[in-house]
């Protein structure tokens, strides 16, 4: 595959001032690597999920002033987009890389998906690894460690997803940038695959298959 691992230069793209300069660096250094990860993981996620997964690399096309603070490649079972679907992501902020299963606010099936999660609350709580993290806002880098959650806390995330129009929920794993660089290409790919193997359970529950 074409992916050769991430470098300090890749993460430092998010420190470049100005929309045009940062976008130029993103396109040159980071986007080709995300495209490589997309090509590699699309068939793996298709096999894990039993749905054909299509690759969507963030283009940040709507931005006119503020440069992006993060970027990603997403995978969904819709060739035209991913935001309206339960989907998977690999992406990065200046500080870390993230690997997510995500249901964000644009998803019209959010309420139904949240109901399905609530019915499987005990299973999800027990089977989510302690070092995994949750997010309730994909636009912010902060996460909530699963090991610090009680079952009722997780249930409240599901309730919010069901009842609050702007709510969203992501589950996965984050890796500090130094560790990402240290892992190299092979180590990182294995780590990402391990995470996807775990969060595919959430995808299947969202599709009412588990």
């Amino acid at each position: 595959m074409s992916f050769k691992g991430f470098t300090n230069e890749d993460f430092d793209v998010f420190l470049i001032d100005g929309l045009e300069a940062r976008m130029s660096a993103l396109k040159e250094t980071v986007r080709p690597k995300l495209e490589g990860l997309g090509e590699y993981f699309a068939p793996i996620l298709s096999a894990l999920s039993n749905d054909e997964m299509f690759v969507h690399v963030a283009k940040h096309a709507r931005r006119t002033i503020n440069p992006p603070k993060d970027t990603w490649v997403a995978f969904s079972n819709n060739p035209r987009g991913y935001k309206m679907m339960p989907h998977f992501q690999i992406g990065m902020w200046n500080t870390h890389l993230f690997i997510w299963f995500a249901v964000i606010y644009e998803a019209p099936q959010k309420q139904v998906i949240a109901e399905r999660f609530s019915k499987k609350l005990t299973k999800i709580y027990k089977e989510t690894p302690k070092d995994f993290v949750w997010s309730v806002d994909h636009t912010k880098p902060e996460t909530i460690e699963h090991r610090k959650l009680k079952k009722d806390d997780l249930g409240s995330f599901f309730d919010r997803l069901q009842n609050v129009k702007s709510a969203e929920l992501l589950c996965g794993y984050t890796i500090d940038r130094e560790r990402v660089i240290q892992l190299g290409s092979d180590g990182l790919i294995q780590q990402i695959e391990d995470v996807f193997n775990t969060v595919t359970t959430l995808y299947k529950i969202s599709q009412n298959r588990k």
Side-chain angles (χ1 to χ4, degrees):
M1 69 172 287
S2 59
F3 178 66
K4 303 298 183 188
F6 289 109
T7 65
N8 272 312
E9 182 186 14
D10 297 324
F11 285 95
D12 285 345
V13 160
F14 300 104
L15 303 179
I16 296 171
D17 288 333
L19 175 62
E20 203 168 310
R22 191 177 300 182
M23 283 303 305
S24 177
L26 269 177
K27 289 175 185 175
E28 188 177 325
T29 63
V30 177
R31 190 175 293 172
K33 295 183 179 184
L34 294 177
E35 288 168 348
L37 288 171
E39 290 171 15
Y40 182 82
F41 279 105
I44 290 172
L45 283 167
S46 296
L48 287 171
S49 66
N50 296 319
D51 278 338
E52 184 177 4
M53 288 288 158
F54 298 90
V55 179
H56 305 275
V57 179
K59 297 292 195 294
H60 308 290
R62 294 180 186 173
R63 289 183 176 271
T64 56
I65 300 173
N66 298 318
K69 296 179 180 179
D70 64 332
T71 195
W72 59 89
V73 56
F75 307 82
S76 78
N77 65 3
N78 187 325
R80 291 178 294 177
Y82 65 93
K83 292 182 179 180
M84 71 294 289
M85 319 295 297
H87 62 273
F88 303 91
Q89 289 185 18
I90 305 164
M92 55 202 293
W93 295 80
N94 168 248
T95 51
H96 65 274
L97 181 135
F98 54 81
I99 309 145
W100 288 128
F101 165 79
V103 180
I104 61 175
Y105 69 91
E106 288 97 331
Q109 294 292 310
K110 264 195 336 175
Q111 285 185 310
V112 174
I113 291 168
E115 285 177 25
R116 291 169 180 167
F117 286 166
S118 294
K119 287 177 182 175
K120 300 284 186 178
L121 172 60
T122 300
K123 173 186 173 67
I124 294 169
Y125 182 72
K126 284 182 178 178
E127 294 184 4
T128 301
K130 286 183 168 52
D131 58 349
F132 273 42
V133 294
W134 297 84
S135 170
V136 294
D137 186 343
H138 80 278
T139 67
K140 297 178 180 177
E142 293 80 18
T143 59
I144 304 140
E145 295 177 51
H146 185 71
R147 63 164 54 90
K148 293 182 178 178
L149 290 178
K150 296 177 181 176
K151 188 167 78 168
D152 287 349
D153 297 328
L154 186 58
S156 70
F157 292 167
F158 298 162
D159 289 343
R160 185 172 184 275
L161 186 66
Q162 183 173 348
N163 297 308
V164 178
K165 189 176 180 180
S166 62
E168 47 189 45
L169 191 61
L170 302 88
C171 179
Y173 193 73
T174 61
I175 313 172
D176 290 343
R177 58 183 282 174
E178 294 81 9
R179 177 67 176 152
V180 172
I181 294 163
Q182 186 181 32
L183 282 169
S185 172
D186 292 346
L188 183 59
I189 284 168
Q190 185 58 60
Q191 180 69 77
I192 293 169
E193 189 165 347
D194 290 346
V195 175
F196 282 154
N197 264 298
T198 300
V199 296
T200 302
T201 298
L202 291 172
Y203 178 82
K204 290 180 177 176
I205 292 171
S206 79
Q207 304 298 297
N208 205 26
R209 296 193 207 137
K210 197 149 187 171

